[in-house]
Amino acid sequence: MKLEAARSDRVRRMLTDKLKTLDELKGITRKAQVERKTVVFANGCFDLLHVGHIRYLQAARELGDLLIVAVNDDVCVRKLKGQGRPLMPELERIEILAALGCVDYLTLFSDHTADRLLLEIRPDVHAKGTDYTEESVPERATVLAYGGRVAIVGDPKGHSTRDYLALIRSRTGGRS
């Protein structure tokens, strides 16, 4: 029982330190920029975290001094990815991402794109994975309009949750 309580306290502290509201992130970003630090923003579903996600987040963090990761909430993931998704609930996805050293702050969002968050937070860099080009990033116009830049980071798109799910189904004959 003590071990479970200690784990719960550790998780609570980690989430308190990293999971932030939009208003908190605006303040954190402004302070960092006043200190001439580069703020990087990344976003995604991060459902069934895999090496492609890790490489994307590590590469994003290397672009600056601070990495903010916006995670699509459960309702949004269901709309974007379809029935049966997300595989993991939003707070578990947040907890896993919070454990990564390259992630400084996290927030949940429910919009189809990150435009609203980007307009409010105004990070210096909006990092997207290699499944995009700078021209195809949905939030590109928003980022450029406030003076930010878009960067494509991570390894070539060779990993996806969808592909891993298909592999699992093929190896189990569709059984769980």
Side-chain angles (χ1 to χ4, degrees):
M1 195 63 156
K2 286 184 180 183
L3 183 60
E4 182 62 29
R7 188 188 79 71
S8 294
D9 288 343
R10 187 175 59 252
V11 169
R12 194 175 2 270
R13 276 192 310 277
M14 182 174 54
L15 291 178
T16 300
D17 290 346
K18 289 195 176 187
L19 183 59
K20 302 296 180 187
T21 66
L22 178 57
D23 284 337
E24 288 172 317
L25 289 175
K26 287 164 58 174
I28 288 165
T29 299
R30 299 298 172 268
K31 182 178 183 293
Q33 290 170 332
V34 164
E35 295 170 355
R36 300 182 121 3
K37 293 180 179 174
T38 300
V39 177
V40 182
F41 179 98
N43 67 286
C45 298
F46 304 102
D47 194 17
L48 190 62
L49 197 68
H50 55 71
V51 71
H53 292 132
I54 301 299
R55 292 173 183 165
Y56 161 55
L57 294 172
Q58 288 174 331
R61 180 60 173 79
E62 289 173 7
L63 296 175
D65 303 297
L66 188 83
L67 176 61
I68 297 169
V69 179
V71 179
N72 296 88
D73 70 12
D74 288 348
V75 172
C76 186
V77 172
R78 201 165 296 111
K79 287 178 187 172
L80 290 169
K81 304 294 183 177
Q83 187 175 355
R85 300 283 298 276
L87 300 171
M88 298 179 347
E90 59 197 33
L91 289 180
E92 288 182 16
R93 291 183 282 128
I94 288 283
E95 182 178 339
I96 291 168
L97 291 167
L100 299 177
C102 61
V103 175
D104 295 293
Y105 298 105
L106 292 150
T107 196
L108 277 167
F109 76 110
S110 57
D111 301 339
H112 183 71
T113 68
D115 285 300
R116 185 179 59 83
L117 287 175
L118 288 161
L119 273 174
E120 294 280 339
I121 297 170
R122 295 180 174 255
D124 302 291
V125 182
H126 178 35
K128 293 295 275 187
T130 57
D131 43 339
Y132 291 92
T133 64
E134 286 189 27
E135 293 74 30
S136 71
V137 170
E139 303 88 357
R140 180 178 187 268
T142 299
V143 174
L144 296 178
Y146 71 72
R149 73 179 179 93
V150 172
I152 304 302
V153 298
D155 64 349
K157 184 70 174 179
H159 315 277
S160 76
T161 300
R162 178 183 54 251
D163 291 344
Y164 282 117
L165 289 173
L167 180 62
I168 291 166
R169 280 189 216 100
S170 74
R171 288 185 178 175
T172 62
R175 298 178 313 276
S176 305

